[in-house]
């Protein structure tokens, strides 16, 4: 395959959006494409293929679970920052001259970034030859009871986008479970399967028999970490070694407090690149239910307890955790009900049984790459969708 793809990705709390985009970009460069990835979140410790042309935009993040947007100093967004980001993004696009543009989330999400995405879309549509435009979304969207907003998304998709890549398996969770208007854009939707790390060979000995507590990026993980530590102090699987992965974005003071409070037999770390290996070897995994963590937990076969992040209007993790609990694949503790007692009981239940097998489509990175790469040539949308994509 030849050509160039241009990605835009913006993460606000966790790093899952960036991780998914990087995995697809890595599949593209492995197939011989050039890739530029423009990232609008803070610098991340996630490893990436050196062949990806990585463009760091002036960073924007969420201050907390309220999702108030701030710059790297914690100040609210202002027009000079927006202009710097817009100029950097359009400059990177002009330099790349891509055959495909992939927007992570938009127009289903990230509306606050229209100040740079509307000009980017306009530039893409004005370019000759015109690059194909993709929206890239996870399996579950944050539910919104807003028909007018849904109509706006449908209109933009039909007017501006060549395809919506849904990184999930409809046999597990179809898009219309979280976006009721999905049938109105059925001819644009392609299910790619779940996006996983390519060629990963877990070491089954890593963390063998441990209780593994992970908080994803960590920015919204303090309640889970504190409850898990209290459950351990109450004696939950106290004969096992416990390992806490607090996440790179947990505030430094919270991380220091967690380390200081940890008793003997409890390790506290920021981040591990071998999470899949630790999951494969652990006795029980305790985590939130973000896309990447839930997927890696399923693929590892780990016994699982999910405490889905559900602050504010967030519904995505709860929908995923409820579905997996209904299938018998995990214990569910709702964040609104979280207590050391309930969490300890869920951990004990998970440790006592073998989870049932669950087969899911996990070839999403390679399949997404094939579809995106096909868009850079003369092949039409209908022909590409006949090459193995699952279409609604």
């Amino acid at each position: 395959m030849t050509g160039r793809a241009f990605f835009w990705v913006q993460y606000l709390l966790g790093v899952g959006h960036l991780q998914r985009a990087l995995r697809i970009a890595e599949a593209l460069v492995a197939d011989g494409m050039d890739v530029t990835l423009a990232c609008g979140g803070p610098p991340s410790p996630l490893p990436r293929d050196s062949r990806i042309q990585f463009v760091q935009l002036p960073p924007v993040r969420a201050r907390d679970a309220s999702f108030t947007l701030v710059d790297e100093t914690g100040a609210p967004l202002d027009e000079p920052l927006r202009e710097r980001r817009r100029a950097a993004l359009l400059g990177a696009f002009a330099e790349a001259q891509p055959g495909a543009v992939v927007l992570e989330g938009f127009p289903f999400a990230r509306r606050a970034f229209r100040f740079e995405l509307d000009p980017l879309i306009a530039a893409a549509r004005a370019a000759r030859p015109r690059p194909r435009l993709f929206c890239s979304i996870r399996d579950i969207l944050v539910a919104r009871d807003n028909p007018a907003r849904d109509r706006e998304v449908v209109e933009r998709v039909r007017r501006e986008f060549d395809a919506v890549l849904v990184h999930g398996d409809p046999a597990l969770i179809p898009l219309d479970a979280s976006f009721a208007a999905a049938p109105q854009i059925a001819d644009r939707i392609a299910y790619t399967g779940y996006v996983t790390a390519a060629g990963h060979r877990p070491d089954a000995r890593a963390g063998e028999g441990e209780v593994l507590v992970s908080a994803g990026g960590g920015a919204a993980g303090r309640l889970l970490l504190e409850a898990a530590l209290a459950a351990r102090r109450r004696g939950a699987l106290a004969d096992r070694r416990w390992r806490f992965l607090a996440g790179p974005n947990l505030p430094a003071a919270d991380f220091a407090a967690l380390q200081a409070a940890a008793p003997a037999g409890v390790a506290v770390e920021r981040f591990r690149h071998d999470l899949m290996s630790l999951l494969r070897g652990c006795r029980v995994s305790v985590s939130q239910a973000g896309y990447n963590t839930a997927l890696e937990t399923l693929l590892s076969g780990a016994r699982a307890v999910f405490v889905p992040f559900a602050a504010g209007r967030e519904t995505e993790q709860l929908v995923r955790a409820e579905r997996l609990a209904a299938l018998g694949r995990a214990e569910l503790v709702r964040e609104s009900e979280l207590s050391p007692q309930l969490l300890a009981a869920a951990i004990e239940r998970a440790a006592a049984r073998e989870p049932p097998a669950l087969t899911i489509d996990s070839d999403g990175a390679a399949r997404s790459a094939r579809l995106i790469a096909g868009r850079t040539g003369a092949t039409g949308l209908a022909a590409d969708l006949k090459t193995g994509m699952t279409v609604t």
Side-chain angles (χ1 to χ4, degrees), residues 339-365:
S339 70
Q341 298 93 321
L342 284 178
L343 187 58
I347 292 170
E348 298 280 3
R349 288 195 303 271
R353 64 184 180 87
E354 289 292 333
L358 183 63
T359 301
I360 59 172
D361 184 345
S362 58
D363 195 34

Side-chain angles (χ1 to χ4, degrees), residues 130-144:
R130 182 179 75 81
R132 299 288 182 161
L133 184 60
F134 294 88
C135 171
S136 169
I137 57 175
R138 63 195 174 205
D139 55 341
I140 303 168
L141 301 173
V142 175
R144 300 280 189 251

Side-chain angles (χ1 to χ4, degrees), residues 138-285:
R138 63 195 174 205
D139 55 341
I140 303 168
L141 301 173
V142 175
R144 300 280 189 251
D145 185 17
N146 188 340
R149 170 72 179 122
D150 288 353
R151 286 194 297 272
E152 178 188 340
V153 170
V154 167
E155 290 168 3
R156 291 208 71 161
V157 167
R158 300 205 64 82
R159 182 175 68 247
E160 298 171 340
F161 287 80
D162 294 281
V164 177
L165 307 181
V166 182
H167 304 304
D169 183 343
L172 182 63
I173 303 172
L175 182 60
D176 56 14
S178 59
F179 185 66
Q184 299 177 43
I185 52 172
D187 60 328
R188 298 288 201 278
I189 294 175
Y191 288 97
T192 68
Y194 286 92
V195 175
T196 60
H200 185 77
R201 294 180 175 83
D203 178 358
R205 295 170 298 177
E208 189 169 4
E210 293 180 343
V211 177
L212 178 64
V213 183
S214 56
R222 183 176 61 84
L223 292 178
L224 169 60
L225 295 169
E226 290 178 347
L229 185 59
R232 167 63 175 77
R233 288 186 172 282
R234 292 176 62 88
L237 298 191
D239 59 328
R240 301 276 178 170
R241 176 178 170 83
W242 284 50
R243 185 188 304 271
F244 284 69
L245 302 182
N249 299 325
L250 184 75
D254 292 337
F255 182 72
L258 187 68
Q259 283 187 311
V266 175
V268 179
E269 303 173 57
R270 273 287 188 187
F271 185 82
R272 290 284 292 256
H273 295 303
D274 59 345
L275 177 61
M276 184 68 118
S277 296
L278 293 172
L279 285 166
R280 182 67 60 89
C282 75
R283 181 64 182 180
V284 178
S285 166

Side-chain angles (χ1 to χ4, degrees), residues 297-343:
T297 301
L298 288 177
L299 294 177
S300 72
R303 302 169 181 86
V305 177
F306 287 134
V307 184
F309 172 63
R313 297 177 297 174
E314 290 298 303
T315 58
E316 170 241 338
Q317 292 196 17
L318 180 59
V319 171
R320 184 178 296 111
E322 286 179 336
R323 174 61 174 156
L324 294 174
L327 293 170
R329 192 56 190 78
E331 295 290 333
L332 168 63
V333 178
R334 288 175 171 80
E335 192 175 64
S336 60
E337 302 170 351
L338 179 61
S339 70
Q341 298 93 321
L342 284 178
L343 187 58

